[in-house]
């Protein structure tokens, strides 16, 4: 169906991160994500398995560092990087699994009825549930100079950790927990768009 032309990206109020419109959009996106994650089971889509995760993580050194930064990683640094990637891989493989969209962010979510309309799902896989949550909340298309922890419950939002500037030493928080079995109530650590 026609989802229109209004993206989340065009509607998010970056000047007022806790604006009612932002809370509604993110609440709808998180609710839809809960439904999406259970829309397919193992075997319905390709697995986001060790081989695929490893291949994608290796793009950091092989593509980004080498091609875009022009940095050749020596054997000692590559060993350190490989050790870090193994830890990330183990964490991802140990997580609960479900359908992963892989591009769940403001440019692929359309303001529609029902909200959101979801685009660009052809690369969906079965993998770690946190992948799309982080993709949404750490959206590469949103400017985030400051971060804080916001708890979203239903239509409400509460600042749990005051906004801080990560460039001055504050750690950016990327975490999420689903509250209640089968519930669409999320508590999300959200990078604020300030």
């Amino acid at each position: 169906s026609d989802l229109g032309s209004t993206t989340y990206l065009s509607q998010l109020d970056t000047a007022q991160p806790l604006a009612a419109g932002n809370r509604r959009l993110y609440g709808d996106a998180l609710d839809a994500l809960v439904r999406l994650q259970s829309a397919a089971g193992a075997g319905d889509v390709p697995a986001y398995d060790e081989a695929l995760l490893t291949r994608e993580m290796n793009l950091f050194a092989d593509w980004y560092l080498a091609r875009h930064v022009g940095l050749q990683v020596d054997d000692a640094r590559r060993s350190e990087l490989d050790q870090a990637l193994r830890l990330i891989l183990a964490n991802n493989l140990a997580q609960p699994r479900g359908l992963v969209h892989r591009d769940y962010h403001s440019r692929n979510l359309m303001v529609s009825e029902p909200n959101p309309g979801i685009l660009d799902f052809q690369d969906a896989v079965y993998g770690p549930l946190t992948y799309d949550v982080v993709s949404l909340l750490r959206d590469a298309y949103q400017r985030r100079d400051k971060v804080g922890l916001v708890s979203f419950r239903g239509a409400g939002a509460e600042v749990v950790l005051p906004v801080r500037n990560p460039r001055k030493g504050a750690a950016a928080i990327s975490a999420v927990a689903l509250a209640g079995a089968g519930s669409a109530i999320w508590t999300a650590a959200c990078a604020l768009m300030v």
Side-chain angles (χ1 to χ4, degrees), residues 69-98:
V69 177
L71 177 68
Q72 296 302 318
V73 180
D74 63 28
D75 290 343
R77 292 288 184 225
R78 184 62 200 216
S79 179
E80 290 176 20
L81 179 59
D82 288 345
Q83 182 179 3
L85 294 179
R86 281 192 298 276
L87 291 172
I88 294 169
L89 177 65
N91 178 287
N92 276 271
L93 293 174
Q95 291 180 29
R97 307 180 82 62

Side-chain angles (χ1 to χ4, degrees), residues 50-130:
E50 182 173 354
L52 181 54
L53 283 162
T54 300
R55 187 168 53 251
E56 289 187 348
M57 288 189 302
N58 283 332
L59 290 173
F60 176 71
D62 301 340
W63 181 78
Y64 177 72
L65 292 178
R67 292 186 72 191
H68 288 282
V69 177
L71 177 68
Q72 296 302 318
V73 180
D74 63 28
D75 290 343
R77 292 288 184 225
R78 184 62 200 216
S79 179
E80 290 176 20
L81 179 59
D82 288 345
Q83 182 179 3
L85 294 179
R86 281 192 298 276
L87 291 172
I88 294 169
L89 177 65
N91 178 287
N92 276 271
L93 293 174
Q95 291 180 29
R97 307 180 82 62
L99 184 67
V100 177
H101 179 281
R102 293 179 70 200
D103 281 317
Y104 200 77
H105 53 70
S106 63
R107 286 177 67 177
N108 286 333
L109 298 175
M110 306 300 290
V111 177
S112 66
E113 209 43 60
N115 193 48
I118 303 170
L119 304 177
D120 195 22
F121 49 83
Q122 69 274 4
D123 291 326
V125 293
Y126 192 77
L129 291 180
T130 57

